[in-house]
Amino acid sequence: MRVVQTARSPYDFRLLVVAPDPDLRASLTAQLSFAGYLVTSAATGAAALRLLGEHHVDLIVVDVEIPDVQALARDRPTLTDRPPVLCLATCESLEALVPSLGTEVQDYITKPCRSAELLARVQVLLRDRTNTRSGTVLRHGDLLLDEVACRAWRGDRVLDVTPAEYRLLRHLLLNAGRVLSKEQMAWQVWSEARGVNAIERLVSRLRQKVDETPPHLIHTHRGFGYWLGTPQ
């Protein structure tokens, strides 16, 4: 059982929805509000920046097709507390994500997105943000990751992991039991859409270290991606 907990309820989190289409903006606001989050919305990057200056925001959900997305990327780093970004994009606009918003993007969803997927991604990012601030220890069985020391162990064995392997292992632990696509994992490790071959090599190296002793914890779901856990 992994230790990934937060005492905060959805009512403690403020989300900012940024989307130019009024129907999409209203739909996102309604879905997130119904889930219990306090939601503020804006139609442009400039309006979003004004709201960020007025309110504490825990997470930004942004449609990358807003006309001034570059302004949001350029000016947001001046904020003292930069919230993570969850992007909504079409397959065609994914390539524009990185040059538009840079490495501040923590996750993305392709449009149209299902409500269940949207809420799941929001929950993971907010949990990730809370755990980072509180210095949570993540655990699954005898696999342990200490976010304060930035170190990992398998039983009594210290894992000699690189920064990229550490980020990937952390993401797998935060999503234990959930199948993650290679593209999604690449985004979490490098904040960019790298080729699947890079993730395959990284997973292979991490497996050699984590699964040196049984039971094996990192698994392949052929055609879908990878997951961490103990098979039943």
Side-chain angles (χ1 to χ4, degrees):
M1 180 177 180
R2 69 191 191 281
V3 180
V4 185
Q5 297 179 341
T6 172
R8 300 178 68 181
S9 72
Y11 299 100
D12 297 322
F13 293 103
R14 180 187 291 271
L15 276 55
L16 173 59
V17 170
V18 190
D21 180 77
D23 292 334
L24 176 60
R25 193 166 64 251
S27 175
L28 292 171
T29 299
Q31 292 176 58
L32 294 168
S33 298
F34 186 77
Y37 298 107
L38 179 60
V39 184
T40 306
S41 66
T44 65
L49 280 171
R50 287 195 297 272
L51 291 171
L52 286 169
E54 298 170 358
H55 305 284
H56 168 80
V57 172
D58 293 288
L59 174 68
I60 302 174
V61 180
V62 58
D63 182 351
V64 295
E65 295 182 11
I66 60 173
D68 54 349
V69 65
Q70 289 83 4
L72 182 59
R74 183 180 64 249
D75 298 331
R76 195 167 62 90
T78 62
L79 298 172
T80 56
D81 185 18
R82 297 195 297 272
V85 175
L86 172 62
C87 275
L88 277 68
T90 62
C91 292
E92 293 75 17
S93 62
L94 278 177
E95 293 183 0
L97 265 178
V98 174
S100 294
L101 286 174
T103 58
E104 298 297 332
V105 177
Q106 270 69 35
D107 205 347
Y108 71 90
I109 305 177
T110 53
K111 297 187 295 184
C113 64
R114 295 174 301 171
S115 178
E117 182 180 11
L118 170 67
L119 295 176
R121 298 287 179 83
V122 166
Q123 289 170 1
V124 168
L125 285 176
L126 290 175
R127 184 177 60 193
D128 191 352
R129 179 171 170 82
T130 302
N131 288 340
T132 299
R133 288 178 167 181
S134 60
T136 300
V137 172
L138 308 181
R139 183 193 304 270
H140 186 93
D142 63 348
L143 176 62
L144 183 144
L145 184 146
D146 186 333
E147 295 190 298
V148 175
C150 292
R151 300 181 68 186
W153 294 263
R154 181 75 194 270
D156 296 329
R157 180 168 51 90
V158 177
L159 302 180
D160 182 17
V161 293
T162 66
E165 291 166 352
Y166 173 88
R167 289 192 293 271
L168 177 59
L169 180 59
R170 181 176 181 273
H171 187 56
L172 285 167
L173 279 165
L174 286 168
N175 294 275
R178 174 186 174 193
V179 177
L180 304 170
S181 72
K182 297 173 184 178
E183 294 80 7
Q184 192 67 29
M185 294 166 74
W187 198 266
Q188 290 297 328
V189 174
W190 293 294
S191 295
E192 60 184 52
R194 294 199 182 189
V196 296
N197 289 339
I199 277 294
E200 289 173 352
R201 291 191 295 270
L202 186 61
V203 169
S204 178
R205 295 199 305 268
L206 186 59
R207 258 185 178 145
Q208 292 174 12
K209 300 174 182 180
V210 172
D211 290 340
E212 181 180 321
T213 54
H216 292 177
L217 296 179
I218 301 176
H219 311 279
T220 301
H221 190 356
R222 193 171 300 277
F224 292 91
Y226 301 99
W227 64 281
L228 183 144
T230 306
Q232 301 299 318

